[in-house]
Amino acid sequence: MRSVEDLIRAEDAGRRLKYVWFWGHEPRRDGRIGASCLSQWWPAEFTVDDLVFPTAEHYMMHRKALLFGDGETAARILRARHPNEAKNLGREVRGYEDEVWAAHRFDIVVAGNLAKFGQHALLGRYLLGTSDRVLVEASPLDPIWGIGLAAGDERTTSPRTWLGANLLGFVLMAVREQLVGESLIGGREKRDITIVEHDPTWAERFRAERSRIRKALGDNAIRIDHVGSTAVPGLAAKPVVDIQVSVADANREETYLPQLEAAGYHLRVRQPDHRMVRTEQLDVHVHICPSGGKWERDHLLFGDWLRATPADRDAYEKLKRDLATRDWFDMNQYAEAKGGLIDEILGRAREWADRTGWSVDHPR
């Protein structure tokens, strides 16, 4: 859907629309990635054509200046220290014409946000996790990129009563669909979620798959670990064994992907610093990540903490069982719903790691 009119037609057809409202770029107090990352002003440096942009706002205004041939202002925008400064410089572009800008602005902002969310894995996962929800910039000050209303106003719950065009929301939904095509090989999947009691044979399956992976990759696999819920004794889980393979550079697929595909795995996820391949039966997921990186550390730490902390293990199981009773648009939406508790648990785990000297080399 690309317009308010499209949303109204969907509503009239009886479709129940669900929303994510956002405005402002301040991070959450708990450090989690939230809806504020959707803001043009969110600080997430990305590179396009060898130029570094501090925010999507910088990109938008830089491309606006270039559109009208104002290279001098474009250069000043790149040097702007704050997105508001970039925005104000964009208003000074020489030769500006409303009709020309209106014809190009949507595609320009799509391109900037594709780079922003495509080059930052955590941001990309958040955006994909919004699934089929309508993204709404609830800005009471902007009737073009926002809806001219603040979140909490009862009129925000129906596009029929919005006071703005919500262009940024539609941009982000377009970006989301492009990222689905680029990062989820085969597109979205809606699968039944079943949580079962812990099965000791999961450890045996991991060992068998580890041998298969080691034979395929040799020393290119720096380490191979059993991660996720099936690696935690006593924790109920989906019957899918998660395996983490650490390599020197996850973005250099030629060093591992052909070998894994030859061994019978199929590529499902392609994200910055992360790939996921799986078995044809969908019962084993193999995550490839950089050795020494955040992905490697967080997944190993999360498992070690759950094994050592029954209260958090039980809380995590309770959440998963609850979520399994609900209907989800796709697996990304289910994963995003677990994010809040996972981040809380990881916060406690990191404090414990700092206090005890835990490391990824801790024996398991």
Side-chain angles (χ1 to χ4, degrees):
M1 289 181 283
R2 293 285 293 266
S3 69
V4 174
E5 291 72 25
D6 288 344
L7 293 177
I8 292 173
R9 282 193 288 271
E11 195 174 62
D12 288 345
R15 179 174 171 183
R16 184 185 175 193
L17 301 175
K18 298 179 181 180
Y19 302 93
V20 174
W21 294 280
F22 66 95
W23 186 46
H25 63 289
E26 295 299 321
R28 294 169 55 112
R29 291 182 179 179
D30 60 9
R32 286 181 57 206
I33 298 294
S36 57
C37 80
L38 302 175
S39 169
Q40 286 284 96
W41 288 19
W42 179 267
E45 198 174 84
F46 58 90
T47 302
V48 178
D49 297 332
D50 296 324
L51 296 176
V52 177
F53 298 91
T55 69
E57 187 76 12
H58 284 76
Y59 180 91
M60 173 186 178
M61 294 305 163
H62 180 266
R63 289 303 193 257
K64 179 181 180 181
L66 292 183
L67 178 64
F68 294 101
D70 189 351
E72 180 182 342
T73 300
R76 292 171 63 198
I77 289 169
L78 279 180
R79 296 193 298 268
R81 296 184 177 182
H82 191 276
N84 190 46
E85 182 183 353
K87 178 180 180 179
N88 289 332
L89 286 169
R91 292 171 173 162
E92 299 177 12
V93 169
R94 293 187 295 272
Y96 172 82
E97 296 179 21
D98 277 337
E99 289 186 5
V100 174
W101 177 237
H104 292 85
R105 62 191 178 188
F106 191 91
D107 290 341
I108 285 174
V109 179
V110 165
N113 279 280
L114 271 172
K116 168 186 169 181
F117 288 94
Q119 293 178 29
H120 291 272
L122 290 177
L123 302 186
R125 282 197 288 274
Y126 178 84
L127 183 58
L128 290 176
T130 62
S131 299
D132 64 337
R133 294 179 182 271
V134 177
L135 305 181
V136 183
E137 187 180 37
S139 167
L141 306 177
D142 191 341
I144 298 175
W145 296 99
I147 60 170
L149 298 168
D153 189 309
E154 62 182 14
R155 291 172 292 176
T156 63
T157 59
S158 172
R160 196 179 300 278
T161 50
W162 291 352
L163 302 182
N166 191 42
L167 287 187
L168 182 56
F170 292 113
V171 160
L172 292 167
M173 288 187 280
V175 169
R176 181 175 65 194
E177 289 313 302
Q178 288 195 49
L179 288 179
V180 166
E182 293 174 5
S183 64
L184 298 180
I185 312 305
R188 296 188 185 277
E189 288 182 344
K190 182 176 175 63
R191 295 170 58 189
D192 292 335
I193 296 170
T194 303
I195 304 297
V196 301
E197 295 298 327
H198 189 87
D199 187 342
T201 65
W202 289 335
E204 298 173 13
R205 181 63 185 276
F206 161 69
R207 288 190 288 271
E209 297 295 325
R210 179 177 59 188
S211 297
R212 180 181 177 187
I213 294 166
R214 178 61 70 190
K215 182 178 180 180
L217 298 185
D219 292 341
N220 282 343
I222 296 172
R223 60 182 300 150
I224 304 172
D225 295 284
H226 190 186
V227 296
S229 296
T230 61
V232 180
L235 178 60
K238 301 191 306 295
V240 178
V241 174
D242 283 295
I243 299 172
Q244 180 169 279
V245 179
S246 301
V247 298
D249 185 348
N251 295 321
R252 292 187 59 204
E253 292 183 355
E254 69 274 12
T255 65
Y256 61 84
L257 186 56
Q259 299 91 322
L260 290 173
E261 289 178 329
Y265 298 103
H266 303 277
L267 181 65
R268 168 58 180 162
V269 175
R270 176 182 281 122
Q271 296 171 327
D273 289 335
H274 171 235
R275 305 292 189 274
M276 188 269 277
V277 299
R278 59 188 182 180
T279 54
E280 188 172 347
Q281 297 78 18
L282 311 184
D283 57 352
V284 175
H285 290 177
V286 181
H287 301 268
I288 299 92
C289 68
S291 176
K294 185 176 186 299
W295 180 285
E296 176 190 73
R297 176 182 170 83
D298 281 354
H299 284 77
L300 293 174
L301 175 58
F302 189 72
D304 284 354
W305 175 256
L306 290 185
R307 282 186 282 270
T309 314
D312 276 343
R313 184 171 64 241
D314 293 346
Y316 188 47
E317 177 173 323
K318 182 177 184 301
L319 174 66
K320 292 195 299 176
R321 289 189 182 278
D322 175 58
L323 295 178
T325 66
R326 307 182 195 178
D327 185 49
W328 299 99
F329 178 71
D330 64 9
M331 295 301 291
N332 284 301
Q333 195 176 40
Y334 166 74
E336 180 62 26
K338 296 189 296 180
L341 182 59
I342 288 174
D343 286 342
E344 286 181 25
I345 293 173
L346 267 175
R348 291 188 284 273
R350 288 176 182 133
E351 292 178 359
W352 170 73
D354 291 342
R355 189 172 63 250
T356 62
W358 176 93
S359 77
V360 296
D361 295 322
H362 175 78
R364 290 173 184 82

